[in-house]
Amino acid sequence: IGYDFLYAGAGYGGSCFPKDVKALIKTASDKAGLQLKVLHAVEEANAQQKHVLGNKVKKRFGDDLRGKHFALWGLAFKANTDDMRQASSLTLIADLLACGATIAAYDPVAMESARAEIGEKPGLRMVESQKLALQGADALIIITEWKEFRSPDFDHIKASLKTPVIFDGRNLYDPQWVRSQGFEYLAIGR
């Protein structure tokens, strides 16, 4: 896997890792009669991890998110791809919409794939830039670690948001520095 993927975050997706874990579980069961408890736990933990950001949003803004609007940066399961297979953003979007929130979502590459995967959902609007996603949002949520999200214009973010709150599902920023800029910063595992 390498160091690029061994960080706390909003869960894994894509085609390879989820498929490989399932294949190992099935092969061990079918060929050797073994139940690989650790790999079952990996799948369960990943499924739960995909709800962490949504739970942080609900803890901060309440379970009833009607009237709340969120900017979502990132849709693909990881940066540098348009792959939406088992992307953590799908779980987050479902969680927030189920609570009555609205979302403006942006991804630098995966917009077309996201539209094909998600379809039309009431309360979800796909937008063409980071800045458009921020307009009128109560908070910013980052779920994919795109390079262009690593050095944003924090002054613009703060001026655009109704409340200066950032939920960072990929731990892109130094918490102390972001907080010193007047943001409430909620990351994962920090």
Side-chain angles (χ1 to χ4, degrees):
I1 296 172
Y3 291 108
D4 288 341
F5 301 103
L6 295 177
Y7 297 101
Y12 65 80
S15 63
C16 296
F17 198 48
K19 173 186 54 82
D20 292 347
V21 171
K22 287 182 187 317
L24 286 169
I25 290 170
K26 182 158 179 43
T27 300
S29 176
D30 293 353
K31 304 260 184 204
L34 298 173
Q35 295 301 312
L36 301 180
K37 293 178 182 178
V38 170
L39 289 184
H40 282 286
V42 166
E43 283 191 312
E44 184 179 326
N46 188 56
Q48 291 175 1
Q49 195 66 23
K50 289 183 179 188
H51 294 281
V52 167
L53 273 180
N55 290 337
K56 285 180 178 285
V57 171
K58 289 187 281 186
K59 184 176 181 183
R60 170 59 176 80
F61 287 100
D63 288 335
D64 183 355
L65 296 175
R66 287 178 291 191
K68 297 295 181 193
H69 179 67
F70 299 98
L72 176 58
W73 285 1
L75 292 165
F77 88 91
K78 68 175 185 176
N80 303 316
T81 185
D82 69 347
D83 196 338
M84 290 296 298
R85 289 176 285 185
Q86 299 189 48
S88 297
S89 64
L90 300 172
T91 302
L92 175 66
I93 289 167
D95 287 351
L96 296 179
L97 293 178
C99 292
T102 58
I103 303 164
Y106 167 73
D107 189 285
V109 175
M111 297 299 284
E112 188 174 317
S113 298
R115 284 183 183 99
E117 178 74 27
I118 299 168
E120 295 293 322
K121 295 245 186 238
L124 175 63
R125 185 171 49 95
M126 303 284 190
V127 297
E128 299 307 316
S129 73
Q130 297 173 47
K131 289 183 177 183
L132 286 174
L134 292 168
Q135 290 179 351
D138 289 283
L140 168 61
I141 306 169
I142 303 166
I143 199 158
T144 309
E145 64 279 13
W146 285 99
K147 187 176 182 179
E148 71 182 66
F149 299 161
R150 292 187 184 277
S151 299
D153 180 344
F154 284 100
D155 291 333
H156 178 78
I157 293 171
K158 192 172 183 183
S160 298
L161 296 175
K162 291 179 185 175
T163 52
V165 178
I166 298 174
F167 296 91
D168 185 353
R170 298 297 174 189
N171 296 324
L172 296 180
Y173 313 126
D174 175 78
Q176 188 174 12
W177 186 87
V178 175
R179 290 180 182 124
S180 77
Q181 300 305 301
F183 288 93
E184 184 177 346
Y185 182 68
L186 301 136
I188 294 180
R190 291 176 150 183

